[in-house]
Amino acid sequence: MDQQIVQVRIHPAIGIARVGNSDATPFIGPESPDQPPLELGSYKDDNGKIIKQAARFRLYGYNAAGDVVRELKLGEEGVTDIKWTAHLANKKAAWYQFHCPLDIPEAAKLSDAQRSRRNASVKGADRKKLVIDSGVKALVAGEKDLVVFDGEIMTKRVRLGAAHVDGDGRLVVAGGDGASGSYTDPPGEITGVANNDTWYDNTSDGPITAQVTLGGVTISATPAWVVVGPPHYAPGVKTIRTVYDLLYDVFATEKTLDRVVQVSYPEDIEPLLVRFCELQWVNHGFATQFGWKGPHHFDDPEMRRRLNDPGETSRDLRRQIYQQMRDYDRDGMSPVPWPWLYGDAMTGGKATSVREHLALSPTQDWMLAQWSEGRFVPGPRRTTYPDVDQAPAARQPGLLDQAALDNCAADAFHPGSEITWPIRHKTMYSEPFRILHRSPDQPERDYGDVLKDVDLYSKDGPLYAQGPGDLTRWMAAPWQCDTASCRMGYAERSGLGARYSPFVPTFWPAQMPNHVLTEKDFKTVNTKPTGDDSAREKAFENRAVWLRGLPGVEMNKQREKMIEIWWQFGIVEPREYTVGDGKFPKHLQVESQPGYGSVPDHANLINIQVPEAGIPQRAAAAGTWRGATSAEEVERSLVQQAVEEAKELTGYGDEEIAAGYLEKLDPFHDAP
């Protein structure tokens, strides 16, 4: 192979960092899609605070044929100088409201008010004060200084993160401390999931660039991007359709990436099916069906033998599994098909759109179809590279790109966890997985008070070249309000019949768990039995509600509390089952001890949407409430009435029910 380097690229193309409030040294985020979660205790410090996840960027040299030659490290093989720049910004407060993705047909139902600006009372030049912008920061390899990303919103100083260059010349970017606030005193009210005026957080995103001097020649590297998102509360679990899966499909469809020609069970099918099983550690509904000893435990050795068999014997098993996957044309709005995840147009009431629930990507679906008909290559479990540095150099860039995005959610973009719906538009990329940068001397134009489709899709619009803060600006403000709302089994009282499940469907359980195996229950499970084993069996089957630490019934009050105690929730971490009798899995994922004290396991199990409570809430927000009784009191009364009805219908008590009006579950309330 030609060893002459003529091009340099930064990898990962999109790096993912995550906020944390610990002063401990940040850990590096996954750098291989096969990298296991870190050792027990790596995600929180001794005080129970969450440790930041940093994104690490590397430089790779390519020859004229586009082949990877090697990673370029400072002081090795002619590399004498490396200069980096990074630029972080948070534009949430200055952007437009989020109610649903604007690229789905249902978005036509949104009113102009719902497509208007956040903090609309801030006018003219003052709107620039709503953008938290660090400016461009330069870093030079060999200099050990820590560079901080500071900005302001109105007059409040906000730190978006910090960066340094390690001894090999790699750039390490860490995010903010996760705290959120209001720029007014007293703070603005928390009124919903995504659009809380005056509120800000310190998630962010922005461009990464580099220049490397190699053999006396300075080369500008193909640039990258960094996204700073919320914590990954279950870092050993991946969702069914990750951002990598989504983007792979985008680029395979437009033929800038080759779709796999021959489907392989260990390479293409098994990783997808096993994700259904891994969700057992974050959602009780998935645990029941796909978990240990469940009817669809795809990771069971005997089940794997059958699924890996392309012959006639297993043909109908393969077909039945494939037929379970959601097909919008066939299934319409049914909640029954797999996966049991909410979709882009989820409303919380009786479904009015096929996009109420998630479907696999077309590429995932195609591969499963091939597999179902026996058109695949069987084999042993695939060769993995848990440590990217042990992989061949030619594989490393792709592993880095995939690892970052494989741990991000592309479930419901409602709005989501790390990034949301614009990410699926190929116009935002210069090449597969690489964000197209907007030149600093070409600032984004003003789209006006209402974001119209003509501006949304224009070639100088927000779905084309990107600037600092442009990926995360669509997300919830502040992030904790969405995290407190990413629950499961949302229903109105009319849906609380015999077919109601409080566990599924669900939002983003791999990022923000729904139900977890507690440390207390794990200790029971991991104790050698002395006779009757029912206590261990019961402990293993039990799952506590992850958000059980949010007090009260009213959801907006719970969101306020989440802003305060977000770091006190447990992290789902790997534990080893040491009894050795094969009764339970060798490796389990267990919630670390929460910091909010003892509460019932099933608090906040039932989640009720109360549409009628939205009438006084929206009127109060618009300043049009004229009732003799305050809007807040009327809303509270309606919510309590819904709780009483839910208690009667489900048999659960007050502490197990959370109810309220969630505007993101009623995005089309203004539609005729």
Side-chain angles (χ1 to χ4, degrees), residues 1-16:
M1 186 182 74
D2 177 13
Q3 298 293 308
Q4 180 68 34
I5 293 173
V6 299
Q7 184 182 24
V8 177
R9 293 180 177 176
I10 305 172
H11 293 278
I14 302 175
I16 305 295

Side-chain angles (χ1 to χ4, degrees), residues 68-103:
V68 178
V69 177
R70 65 178 185 275
E71 183 184 356
L72 305 180
K73 299 180 180 180
L74 184 66
E76 294 185 8
E77 299 185 74
V79 178
T80 57
D81 190 32
I82 299 174
K83 295 178 180 177
W84 295 90
T85 71
H87 186 173
L88 297 183
N90 176 309
K91 294 179 175 177
K92 290 182 179 182
W95 194 235
Y96 296 88
Q97 296 181 32
F98 181 92
H99 292 276
C100 79
L102 298 181
D103 62 349

Side-chain angles (χ1 to χ4, degrees), residues 655-666:
E655 64 190 9
E656 293 156 318
I657 297 174
Y661 175 71
L662 285 83
E663 88 290 347
K664 85 164 186 175
L665 302 189
D666 188 22

